Amino acid sequence: MKIESYKTDVKTKEDANFIVLLLQFVISDCKMNFHLEDQNHILKIETSRDIKELVYGVFNKQGFYCQKLNTPKTWMKKE
């Protein structure tokens, strides 16, 4: 498993919950959460596959911005 991080423009808890709900519908085998207190409003997703395009699609359809960040190896989860 790996953790993918995304910089977003999601600012409210309500919007974050809505995005997570939509993402869980599209990508049901991942764990995800927002860190809205971070200045970059980070979304972290634990996954075992490439999901970047799915994430971008959900954000774009809802009018939000996101950009995948390079994830340091120290964030990689050991199986």
Side-chain angles (χ1 to χ4, degrees):
M1 295 292 265
K2 63 182 178 176
I3 297 176
E4 292 189 0
S5 297
Y6 296 85
K7 176 181 177 178
T8 77
D9 65 351
V10 175
K11 292 182 175 59
T12 68
K13 184 96 171 143
E14 292 79 17
D15 286 340
N17 288 339
F18 181 65
I19 291 290
V20 167
L21 183 67
L22 292 175
L23 286 170
Q24 287 176 331
F25 182 74
V26 176
I27 317 167
S28 61
D29 61 334
C30 297
K31 295 180 187 176
M32 57 194 83
N33 61 8
F34 268 95
H35 296 274
L36 294 177
E37 65 281 356
D38 184 284
Q39 69 180 10
N40 292 317
H41 311 283
I42 300 294
L43 168 65
K44 289 188 178 178
I45 303 176
E46 186 178 326
T47 182
S48 58
R49 59 191 175 108
D50 184 24
I51 58 168
K52 180 176 79 170
E53 295 304 321
L54 294 170
V55 173
Y56 285 171
V58 168
F59 271 78
N60 289 334
K61 281 186 180 179
Q62 299 306 316
F64 288 103
Y65 163 84
C66 75
Q67 176 185 359
K68 186 175 178 193
L69 302 173
N70 291 332
T71 305
K73 291 189 185 226
T74 56
W75 288 7
M76 302 297 249
K77 187 170 182 169
K78 296 189 180 196
E79 296 185 60

